[in-house]
Amino acid sequence: DTGVSQDPRHKITKRGQNVTFRCDPISEHNRLYWYRQTLGQGPEFLTYFQNEAQLEKSRLLSDRFSAERPKGSFSTLEIQRTEQGDSAMYLCASSLVGAMGEAFFGQGTRLTVV
Amino acid sequence: GENVEQHPSTLSVQEGDSAVIKCTYSDSASNYFPWYKQELGKRPQLIIDIRSNVGEKKDQRIAVTLNKTAKHFSLHITETQPEDSAVYFCAANSKTSYDKVIFGPGTSLSVIP
């Protein structure tokens, strides 16, 4: 599969634990996005990268969330001290910069905080 | 800040009828407007997009129209089929923020056989 892949697909964690998700974008794509989606809502922007540079982080995102893309390829999203309100689908997408082209989404990681 | 609104939130149509979903955006500099379809349990997938240098674009049974003056755009699906049932999201890029894509809240479309 040469599309965007995310790991794990599902994660159940206890409140207060830290979790880390991984996204592998399409290899030639230099933009990588993280979105969060809750039931019945559209994808909510979290942060995004152009190559290894983090261009923007949503003002809605607490300091418990951090993302990296160290070599401009895969990215990780970490949530520290998880809360029940963090339960959601975390989607990663990638695209080519400047092309205003299609952003391809991964299958997502569904997080459940119990 | 940037915002994309979408209406209606739910829409039911009889098979064969048309469906129309409308969106408005706040950033007057936005120039790229994609539409995504998300089936239950699956990832969002692009179905059509429009750029601000055109007012309408068609692809088989799907068409999008854009009114830049009014800052609204619409998705039209003709001759609906049961497999069109899904959640549809409109989106717009934010020129004030590195072209990030902002999504609307979605429209759940049900096509009744």
Side-chain angles (χ1 to χ4, degrees):
Chain A
D1 187 355
T2 56
V4 179
S5 62
Q6 292 187 244
D7 182 71
R9 293 287 306 278
H10 304 274
K11 178 71 176 179
I12 300 174
T13 191
K14 291 184 178 180
R15 191 172 48 188
Q17 297 294 305
N18 299 342
V19 294
T20 300
F21 310 142
R22 176 178 170 128
C23 171
D24 286 90
I26 293 172
S27 59
E28 61 268 27
H29 284 183
N30 41 20
R31 280 198 172 167
L32 186 149
Y33 307 78
W34 284 101
Y35 288 88
R36 176 171 62 190
Q37 188 176 29
T38 53
L39 197 63
Q41 298 297 316
E44 175 191 16
F45 171 80
L46 295 181
T47 188
Y48 93 120
F49 295 84
Q50 183 165 308
N51 300 313
E52 65 274 11
Q54 188 172 18
L55 296 185
E56 185 176 343
K57 182 177 175 181
S58 170
R59 292 187 295 272
L60 303 174
L61 216 56
S62 80
D63 291 340
R64 298 183 296 105
F65 288 72
S66 63
E68 293 183 341
R69 194 184 183 197
K71 297 181 180 178
S73 56
F74 73 92
S75 175
T76 58
L77 177 69
E78 181 183 17
I79 309 174
Q80 296 181 324
R81 305 181 302 282
T82 52
E83 302 173 356
Q84 285 190 319
D86 297 331
S87 296
M89 176 72 83
Y90 290 83
L91 291 165
C92 175
S94 70
S95 70
L96 287 168
V97 67
M100 284 200 303
E102 179 174 357
F104 289 84
F105 280 87
Q107 294 277 35
T109 294
R110 181 167 295 284
L111 173 66
T112 303
V113 181
V114 297
Chain B
E2 313 96 350
N3 188 44
V4 176
E5 297 184 350
Q6 184 171 349
H7 301 279
S9 57
T10 60
L11 179 61
S12 290
V13 299
Q14 292 288 338
E15 181 177 358
D17 287 350
S18 296
V20 180
I21 302 170
K22 298 182 179 181
C23 290
T24 60
Y25 59 98
S26 60
D27 184 352
S28 57
S30 294
N31 58 0
Y32 176 63
F33 308 91
W35 285 86
Y36 282 80
K37 175 183 180 181
Q38 187 174 30
E39 296 175 352
L40 191 63
K42 296 189 176 180
R43 72 188 83 187
Q45 292 193 299
L46 183 83
I47 54 172
I48 194 167
D49 56 17
I50 190 167
R51 290 164 173 76
S52 60
N53 57 340
V54 297
E56 183 174 357
K57 182 177 179 180
K58 288 188 72 173
D59 182 4
Q60 299 181 338
R61 297 185 296 108
I62 295 174
V64 290
T65 58
L66 171 64
N67 183 328
K68 285 219 72 179
T69 303
K71 291 192 288 186
H72 65 69
F73 56 114
S74 301
L75 176 72
H76 304 252
I77 306 174
T78 58
E79 301 171 23
T80 53
Q81 301 168 2
E83 52 266 36
D84 294 330
S85 297
V87 179
Y88 291 81
F89 297 100
C90 62
N93 67 329
S94 169
K95 298 303 288 182
T96 59
S97 186
Y98 301 103
D99 268 336
K100 76 182 182 189
V101 176
I102 306 294
F103 285 82
T107 295
S108 178
L109 173 64
S110 297
V111 180
I112 303 164

